[in-house]
Amino acid sequence: MQPYLYDSPTFRMACQQFDMVAEFMNIPEMARNRLKMPKRALAVSVPIRMDNGSTQVFMGYRVQHHLTLGPTKGGIRFHPEVTIGEVAALAMWMSWKCALVGLPYGGAKGGVTCDPKSLSLSELERLTRRYTQELIPVIGPQVDIPAPDVGTNEQVMAWIMDTYSLQIGHAVPGVVTGKPVLLGGSLGRREATGRGLAYLVSRTMDTLGMQAEGATAVIQGYGNVGSVAAISMAKQGIKIIAVSDAFGGIYNPKGLDLNKLNDHVAVSRSVVGFSEAEPITNEQLLLLPCDILVPAALERQITEGNAAKLNCRILAEGANGPTTPEADAILAQRSDIFVIPDILCNSGGVIVSYFEWVQDLQSFFWSEGEVLDKLFRLLEQAYMQTLNHARKHQISMRFAALSLGIKRVYDAKVVRGLYP
Ligand code: GLU
């Protein structure tokens, strides 16, 4: 079966990872395409009236990877480079991620090819509402539940919830997660991915016998994941020495003052130009000597071109798919680098999304303490299972995480059977 529709570097990368793991797990040939190929995909054109009176048409997508374990779940990305192939790869990774941490979901992802930074607030609202309208036949609390991803936030989720609810005729908070708490969002959801990442970094430091106090971290991407991960790691005593965003990076070997940096970002909308640091490019940043390197931006950043030159002890993948299979092959030869793979490392976000959905369905809301306690328990279990699996089979952490996730979906498909 040739996935022409999805063909793209990122989809090829997700397939390559799947094929290697399926081979290792001895999954029968016949079952492989059924597991790998997305179940459904919707492509829509999204016409928007722009502020200047013109009409512009954007392309939007939603891909649902498998429906075997429950509704599908995954974020919505607004970014100029969104393609249906990228969205399909991200949906596949959501499947393995949800299965790894034991959530009753298949994976999904959505996206609109646009530059949200160049849209006014009202253009962004019209884009979100029209895209939601086009998705109505395929989303819903029992069908497919979107959430934030690159370029979207709580406000975008509020518009999605409102547009869907107006169609249905009553408020449906469970159609989307990552909403404002006021509308049925969960306490702790906004911070969940970054906090979860910091928790796993701390557990990895225990495993490796490293001390947090005085350790250094470098973060690529200072959005919702990277900025919260920075604060959470700093609370553990880790020094954040460099961060970057789409506009460039900043570096201060003595450690960045995050309060001052966040004030600067609030005004200038970028880390660039922060007075207490020197400028650095995104490429240089990845190679800085540090204890913890956190790629928390886009996919395919650690490649065969830079993997051999990384200078970190822990690679904590906040982004989805930041490391190519070619780079993985190089990292496998480097016993000096411990990888916390994306589907484990950034799973805190979807875990608390799951909690949000459960709270919405029950209309019964939990304290932040309850949310965090349950989050750390699921992360601990997934971390230990992955570590033990990797050690037992002498495989990488990524291979271990993917094989645990894929196995759960495969087993579920086997017991459900093939209809008719
Ligand atoms: N976009 C996030 C991810 O890639 C969160 C998805 C969700 O919460 O459903 O994991």
Side-chain angles (χ1 to χ4, degrees), residues 73-75 94 97 109 145-149 177 189 320 346 349-350 353:
K73 186 87 194 79
M94 283 307 301
K97 187 187 319 191
K109 206 76 166 199
I145 306 123
D149 196 78
T177 60
R189 171 61 187 87
N320 291 307
N346 68 34
V350 73
S353 273

Side-chain angles (χ1 to χ4, degrees), residues 9 190 199 224 345:
R190 193 191 308 151
Y199 177 85
N224 181 44
C345 195

Side-chain angles (χ1 to χ4, degrees), residues 231-396:
I231 293 171
S232 308
M233 287 193 289
K235 280 195 186 136
Q236 295 168 13
I238 297 169
K239 210 160 60 166
I240 314 300
I241 57 168
V243 300
S244 68
D245 58 29
F247 304 102
I250 55 165
Y251 172 50
N252 181 343
K254 294 203 200 88
L256 297 161
D257 181 327
L258 295 178
N259 288 328
K260 285 190 192 162
L261 174 61
N262 291 341
D263 288 346
H264 168 82
V265 172
V267 176
S268 31
R269 304 257 139 237
S270 170
V271 299
V272 172
F274 182 53
S275 59
E276 294 182 11
E278 51 190 271
I280 186 169
T281 66
N282 257 301
E283 293 72 38
Q284 292 166 330
L285 174 128
L286 292 174
L287 306 183
L288 283 174
C290 61
D291 294 298
I292 305 136
L293 176 63
V294 183
L298 296 172
E299 52 276 8
R300 303 168 54 74
Q301 299 299 305
I302 317 284
T303 63
E304 57 190 329
N306 59 13
K309 296 185 243 159
L310 297 190
N311 239 318
C312 60
R313 180 76 187 90
I314 298 171
L315 180 63
E317 297 183 336
N320 291 307
T323 307
T324 65
E326 295 74 25
D328 261 335
I330 296 168
L331 294 178
Q333 305 302 314
R334 292 192 58 175
S335 53
D336 56 328
I337 297 185
F338 185 104
V339 179
I340 314 176
D342 52 359
I343 61 167
L344 172 65
C345 195
N346 68 34
S347 64
V350 73
I351 291 175
V352 178
S353 273
Y354 165 63
F355 298 159
E356 180 172 330
W357 178 72
V358 168
Q359 292 171 77
D360 288 338
L361 294 183
Q362 302 183 344
S363 297
F364 181 63
F365 293 89
W366 311 345
S367 68
E368 188 169 1
E370 282 173 277
V371 170
L372 285 177
D373 183 54
K374 289 183 170 68
L375 167 65
F376 295 147
R377 254 191 280 166
L378 284 193
L379 285 175
E380 180 63 29
Q381 202 181 333
Y383 176 73
M384 285 316 297
Q385 278 177 356
T386 308
L387 187 66
N388 290 337
H389 199 61
R391 284 179 170 163
K392 181 166 164 208
H393 297 281
Q394 295 289 303
I395 52 179
S396 69

Side-chain angles (χ1 to χ4, degrees), residues 22-304:
E23 192 62 35
F24 163 76
M25 292 169 65
N26 281 321
I27 294 179
E29 260 333 306
M30 286 186 303
R32 293 190 192 179
N33 273 336
R34 196 176 156 211
L35 267 167
K36 181 163 72 175
M37 294 308 294
K39 182 70 191 171
R40 297 177 185 149
L42 179 69
V44 291
S45 65
V46 187
I48 300 303
R49 189 158 297 119
M50 307 302 282
D51 290 346
N52 66 9
S54 68
T55 302
Q56 213 171 309
V57 179
F58 296 89
M59 283 308 295
Y61 309 100
R62 184 78 184 166
V63 176
Q64 300 171 351
H65 180 250
H66 80 83
L67 312 174
T68 311
L69 287 163
T72 48
K73 186 87 194 79
I76 288 178
R77 177 171 293 199
F78 287 176
H79 191 270
E81 259 129 59
V82 162
T83 64
I84 194 169
E86 182 198 40
V87 171
L90 292 163
M92 201 194 299
W93 287 325
M94 283 307 301
S95 287
W96 315 144
K97 187 187 319 191
C98 291
L100 171 67
V101 294
L103 309 183
Y105 292 137
K109 206 76 166 199
V112 176
T113 315
C114 68
D115 179 6
K117 294 191 187 97
S118 71
L119 299 174
S120 70
L121 194 65
S122 54
E123 287 168 341
L124 189 66
E125 176 173 357
R126 288 194 290 277
L127 179 75
T128 305
R129 289 186 182 279
R130 184 60 193 255
Y131 170 64
T132 307
Q133 177 70 45
E134 304 296 343
L135 290 193
I136 283 193
V138 300
I139 60 170
Q142 307 300 340
V143 188
D144 180 12
I145 306 123
D149 196 78
V150 176
T152 57
N153 56 22
E154 283 183 15
Q155 177 60 73
V156 172
M157 299 307 117
W159 290 325
I160 294 176
M161 181 268 189
D162 184 66
T163 308
Y164 184 85
S165 299
L166 285 173
Q167 292 292 319
I168 301 297
H170 55 85
V172 187
V175 67
V176 74
T177 60
K179 299 176 292 296
V181 171
L182 188 64
L183 296 180
S186 178
L187 292 169
R189 171 61 187 87
R190 193 191 308 151
E191 301 83 6
T193 316
R195 276 189 184 156
L197 183 148
Y199 177 85
L200 292 165
V201 164
S202 153
R203 292 295 291 112
T204 303
M205 293 181 106
D206 294 343
T207 304
L208 300 176
M210 293 166 69
Q211 297 298 322
E213 202 58 50
T216 54
V218 166
I219 304 178
Q220 184 198 43
Y222 204 66
N224 181 44
V225 179
S227 63
V228 176
I231 293 171
S232 308
M233 287 193 289
K235 280 195 186 136
Q236 295 168 13
I238 297 169
K239 210 160 60 166
I240 314 300
I241 57 168
V243 300
S244 68
D245 58 29
F247 304 102
I250 55 165
Y251 172 50
N252 181 343
K254 294 203 200 88
L256 297 161
D257 181 327
L258 295 178
N259 288 328
K260 285 190 192 162
L261 174 61
N262 291 341
D263 288 346
H264 168 82
V265 172
V267 176
S268 31
R269 304 257 139 237
S270 170
V271 299
V272 172
F274 182 53
S275 59
E276 294 182 11
E278 51 190 271
I280 186 169
T281 66
N282 257 301
E283 293 72 38
Q284 292 166 330
L285 174 128
L286 292 174
L287 306 183
L288 283 174
C290 61
D291 294 298
I292 305 136
L293 176 63
V294 183
L298 296 172
E299 52 276 8
R300 303 168 54 74
Q301 299 299 305
I302 317 284
T303 63
E304 57 190 329

